[in-house]
Amino acid sequence: MAEREPDFEASASALGYVYQLREALHLCVSRLGNLDWALAIEAGDDIEEVRRDGRTYYQLKHRAPGTKMTNASTDLWKTLRIWAHAIHGGQLDLDQTDLILLTTAELPDGSVGSMLQPADSRLRDERSALEALKTTRRTSKSESLAKAFAAFDLLEPPQLVRMVSKIQVIGNAPDVEAVEQKLRQSATTAVGREHATSFLVRLEGWFFRRSIQQLRAGSLDAITGLDFDAVFSDLRNQFGRANLPIDEDIAEMEADLAKYSGQPFVRQLELIELGSRRVDRAVRDYMRAVTQRSRWLNENLLLPRELSRYERRLVEEWEELFDDMVDALGVEAAEAEKIAEATRVYRWAMTETQRRIRPECDEPFVAKGSFHILADDYKVGWHMDFVARLMAVLEPVETTSV
């Protein structure tokens, strides 16, 4: 069988989408401290930024190293086609909108792109750039650019002059990996080098989910400076010494009781005749706590022996209440009394204990799930006879050979 050729076009397209999202996130990070902006993806343009004093449309082009954007470049003319149609149709107000073409390609000397670089480059020459565009339009026979040329022709001379005056071309822009490194530097500044990767993974995860939400709703659900600042600040606080990150995907997990029905912590709940809905919640909290702990450990977010010290504190608090219950009931207590008192101890563990793994880590499933993890290891229990009862149920029965 012949080896399948890689689908380079599809790969480049996928990389372009990642680049678009990362560049949009980088724009948001660069705006931190300024709340007066909103950003939307695939609304007015690849990226549309709205401010009180106007808006900016961004066209992004991610190209292979060594690519040059010439005067007849498809990237250049497809961008002009989009903007010209929007201007002609009245969707783009040049008095209120700046136009930026951001490309990883090189801008050859004397090219339209080089002449439309930002003013601080000292190479900007709008008149020569427009003449070069007109020359290319007049002399090129490229069929692939026919629609772009037609859109260019829709604009009156004053509109062309005005459009070119609003365009900035930024060449040799950082590629998708370089943008990631910039984001990592920002993450390092926010939470330190040790936690930068974990912070960035969570920030990108939130931004990608939020972008999908915005794409479904359009520009009406744009990401605002206020929203982003709040999320960034909250996430940064979660990596402080007094806190730990709680991951949204874990906090929203739901469990399948059937997968856990035979585990000791579930058997413990059956001993006190807990209702099925409360058992479901217990399984959910157990699963979330196990998963979150595992992620913390894998990312080295916990201090040495921090979990063991936390569990010791939970066990010691439980011991006080459990031993009081055992002493108060005595060995002759009826089963109904045992269950009633065990339910009280369980209710305390689920609702009254305020013990946190860190002072500002206040997610309820951490403590609740930790009690279930301890119950699964027989380190805590609810029914006063839980050890003997569970041993009888879970240990295999010895058989005598004939």
Side-chain angles (χ1 to χ4, degrees), residues 129-194:
L130 180 55
E131 289 305 314
L133 288 173
K134 289 178 178 178
T135 299
T136 302
R137 187 313 168 219
R138 186 173 60 253
T139 60
S140 175
K141 305 299 181 183
S142 173
E143 293 184 5
S144 64
L145 298 181
K147 291 182 178 179
F149 292 154
F152 187 79
D153 293 342
L154 291 173
L155 300 185
E156 298 293 334
Q159 290 178 303
L160 287 173
V161 172
R162 186 65 174 144
M163 178 179 72
V164 169
S165 74
K166 302 293 285 189
I167 295 174
Q168 297 180 66
V169 180
I170 301 174
N172 292 303
D175 64 10
V176 65
E177 293 179 352
V179 175
E180 181 185 18
Q181 288 304 313
K182 285 190 170 187
L183 290 169
R184 192 177 300 278
Q185 290 171 6
S186 297
T188 299
T189 301
V191 299
R193 188 173 302 278
E194 181 182 5

Side-chain angles (χ1 to χ4, degrees), residues 18-35:
V18 175
Y19 182 60
Q20 182 179 4
L21 288 170
R22 277 199 176 142
E23 188 60 47
L25 175 57
H26 183 252
L27 280 172
C28 292
V29 171
S30 69
R31 303 295 189 267
L32 279 170
N34 175 14
L35 307 182

Side-chain angles (χ1 to χ4, degrees), residues 198 202 235 238-239 243-247 292 296 299 301 361:
S198 297
R202 287 165 173 82
L235 186 57
Q238 289 184 43
F239 282 85
N243 208 343
L244 282 165
I246 299 297
D247 297 312
Q292 187 67 78
W296 287 338
E299 297 180 10
L301 296 176
C361 185

Side-chain angles (χ1 to χ4, degrees), residues 226-242:
L226 189 63
D227 290 341
F228 187 80
D229 190 80
V231 169
F232 191 94
S233 298
D234 179 63
L235 186 57
R236 180 175 53 203
N237 291 339
Q238 289 184 43
F239 282 85
R241 293 186 177 182

Side-chain angles (χ1 to χ4, degrees), residues 70-360:
T70 65
N71 291 359
S73 167
T74 300
D75 282 350
L76 173 62
W77 281 96
K78 282 192 173 181
T79 298
L80 292 173
R81 175 189 173 190
I82 291 169
W83 289 339
H85 269 302
I87 294 167
H88 180 71
Q91 293 92 29
L92 196 162
D93 182 356
L94 288 173
D95 290 333
Q96 296 292 323
T97 309
D98 293 318
L99 306 172
I100 293 180
L101 171 55
L102 185 73
T103 178
T104 60
E106 300 173 22
L107 306 178
D109 291 342
S111 67
V112 169
S114 70
M115 290 186 285
L116 291 181
Q117 293 180 84
D120 58 10
S121 70
R122 298 183 180 180
L123 298 173
R124 189 169 180 86
D125 186 347
E126 296 169 9
R127 179 177 297 181
S128 296
L130 180 55
E131 289 305 314
L133 288 173
K134 289 178 178 178
T135 299
T136 302
R137 187 313 168 219
R138 186 173 60 253
T139 60
S140 175
K141 305 299 181 183
S142 173
E143 293 184 5
S144 64
L145 298 181
K147 291 182 178 179
F149 292 154
F152 187 79
D153 293 342
L154 291 173
L155 300 185
E156 298 293 334
Q159 290 178 303
L160 287 173
V161 172
R162 186 65 174 144
M163 178 179 72
V164 169
S165 74
K166 302 293 285 189
I167 295 174
Q168 297 180 66
V169 180
I170 301 174
N172 292 303
D175 64 10
V176 65
E177 293 179 352
V179 175
E180 181 185 18
Q181 288 304 313
K182 285 190 170 187
L183 290 169
R184 192 177 300 278
Q185 290 171 6
S186 297
T188 299
T189 301
V191 299
R193 188 173 302 278
E194 181 182 5
H195 300 316
T197 298
S198 297
F199 177 89
L200 183 56
V201 165
R202 287 165 173 82
L203 182 63
E204 283 193 328
W206 172 84
F207 188 77
F208 291 170
R209 290 191 299 273
R210 183 63 180 81
S211 296
I212 291 171
Q213 176 185 323
Q214 179 263 300
L215 284 166
R216 287 174 173 166
S219 59
L220 295 176
D221 194 25
I223 300 166
T224 68
L226 189 63
D227 290 341
F228 187 80
D229 190 80
V231 169
F232 191 94
S233 298
D234 179 63
L235 186 57
R236 180 175 53 203
N237 291 339
Q238 289 184 43
F239 282 85
R241 293 186 177 182
N243 208 343
L244 282 165
I246 299 297
D247 297 312
E248 186 176 343
D249 61 319
I250 294 175
E252 294 179 352
M253 292 172 71
E254 295 295 338
D256 181 0
L257 177 58
K259 294 181 180 179
Y260 298 88
S261 60
Q263 289 194 213
F265 82 95
V266 176
R267 298 279 191 178
Q268 290 229 43
L269 302 177
E270 292 172 351
L271 288 178
I272 63 174
E273 300 179 357
L274 205 66
S276 60
R277 292 184 62 183
R278 295 174 72 188
V279 173
D280 285 342
R281 288 199 295 273
V283 171
R284 179 197 65 192
D285 290 336
Y286 170 87
M287 184 185 68
R288 290 177 180 177
V290 168
T291 308
Q292 187 67 78
R293 283 174 168 215
S294 177
R295 189 170 295 178
W296 287 338
L297 288 168
N298 289 338
E299 297 180 10
N300 296 315
L301 296 176
L302 292 171
L303 299 172
R305 295 182 55 80
E306 186 169 11
L307 268 180
S308 61
R309 289 196 298 270
Y310 176 57
E311 290 185 343
R312 174 185 56 77
R313 296 198 303 270
L314 292 179
V315 170
E316 288 178 355
E317 287 193 12
W318 164 83
E319 284 175 336
E320 288 292 330
L321 201 61
F322 186 81
D323 290 344
D324 283 347
M325 175 187 71
V326 172
D327 291 344
L329 285 171
V331 295
E332 301 299 327
E335 181 64 16
E337 291 180 285
K338 293 180 180 180
I339 291 175
E341 288 302 304
T343 302
R344 184 175 65 83
V345 174
Y346 179 75
R347 186 182 304 115
W348 162 84
M350 295 299 107
T351 62
E352 296 180 27
T353 181
Q354 298 297 314
R355 183 64 65 186
R356 300 174 180 177
I357 188 168
R358 289 188 185 174
E360 295 178 14

